[in-house]
């Protein structure tokens, strides 16, 4: 893909000036892949060992965020209602040389499947994680939460208009 980054002076920087091959590609991909497989399978001790103590996970909404303990607690709650959890994904990695996104990144694109209340739900997701010193520093996940909710039988009802 083609990417251009703008700086404060609004000048254009080319992709190759900012993005390079990740020198730790195999190790970083393994860390993020093992993390995802661990949370899905219920191996939370393993998942925690792959997270930096200052880890912050964001998403799927722009207002959703969780530290290490909240992330693990959220998955424990999933285990109470979800069975037959599965994940399949592909990964890609790169290194950003400068700016606010400087660092080594792993992008993971896949499908998550689980059964809840007798319904099997599969949905696509995308996770991007920053990795440093063998730990996941933070991540951002994207998926359609409304799709999942409606597949589980929830209904979206508009609010009543406010009288003027």
């Amino acid at each position: 893909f083609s990417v251009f980054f703008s700086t404060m002076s609004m000048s254009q920087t080319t992709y190759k000036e900012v993005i390079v091959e990740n020198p730790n590609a195999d190790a970083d991909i393994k860390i993020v892949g093992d993390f995802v497989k661990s949370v899905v399978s219920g191996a939370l001790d393993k998942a925690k060992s792959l997270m930096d103590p200052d880890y912050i996970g964001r998403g799927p909404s722009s207002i959703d965020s969780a530290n290490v303990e909240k992330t693990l607690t959220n998955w424990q709650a999933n285990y109470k209602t979800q069975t037959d959890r599965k994940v399949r994904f592909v990964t890609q990695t790169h290194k950003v040389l400068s700016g606010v996104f400087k660092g080594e990144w792993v992008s993971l694109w896949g499908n998550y499947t689980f059964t809840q209340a007798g319904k099997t739900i599969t949905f696509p997701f995308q996770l991007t994680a920053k990795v440093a010193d063998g730990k996941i520093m933070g991540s951002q996940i994207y998926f359609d939460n409304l799709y999942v909710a409606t597949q589980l039988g929830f209904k979206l009802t508009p609010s009543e208009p406010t009288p003027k």
Side-chain angles (χ1 to χ4, degrees):
F1 57 85
S2 179
V3 177
F4 289 94
F5 293 90
S6 295
T7 63
M8 293 299 282
S9 65
M10 302 304 287
S11 65
Q12 295 283 317
T13 305
T14 65
Y15 176 83
K16 290 183 179 183
E17 291 174 302
V18 178
I19 306 291
V20 297
E21 187 172 327
N22 180 348
N24 300 308
D26 291 336
D28 289 353
I29 286 172
K30 182 169 180 8
I31 290 164
V32 176
D34 285 353
F35 169 75
V36 170
K37 288 185 255 182
S38 295
V39 294
V40 170
S41 71
L44 294 182
D45 288 340
K46 170 75 173 176
K48 185 175 184 176
S49 76
L50 298 168
M51 303 163 81
D52 184 82
D54 294 326
Y55 168 91
I56 296 292
R58 301 192 186 285
S61 165
S62 61
I63 61 169
D64 297 332
S65 67
N67 62 14
V68 172
E69 294 308 317
K70 177 80 170 143
T71 298
L72 301 177
T73 300
N74 288 347
W75 275 99
Q76 286 173 330
N78 289 343
Y79 305 151
K80 293 177 183 175
T81 58
Q82 298 176 359
T83 61
D84 199 26
R85 297 176 306 276
K86 297 179 185 128
V87 66
R88 297 186 72 181
F89 55 83
V90 295
T91 54
Q92 186 275 333
T93 185
H94 60 278
K95 181 176 182 177
V96 177
L97 297 173
S98 61
V100 296
F101 300 112
K102 182 178 180 177
E104 296 170 5
W105 296 86
V106 173
S107 296
L108 189 143
W109 175 42
N111 287 314
Y112 178 60
T113 301
F114 65 92
T115 301
Q116 182 171 325
K119 297 177 184 178
T120 299
I121 311 296
T122 298
F123 62 92
F125 71 96
Q126 195 284 326
L127 175 95
T128 301
K130 183 176 184 180
V131 180
D133 301 321
K135 302 285 184 182
I136 301 172
M137 307 305 291
S139 66
Q140 176 75 46
I141 191 166
Y142 301 96
F143 64 89
D144 186 346
N145 219 353
L146 181 58
Y147 171 79
V148 175
T150 56
Q151 293 304 300
L152 289 169
F154 291 89
K155 304 275 187 232
L156 181 63
T157 306
S159 60
E160 294 294 321
T162 306
K164 294 184 181 190

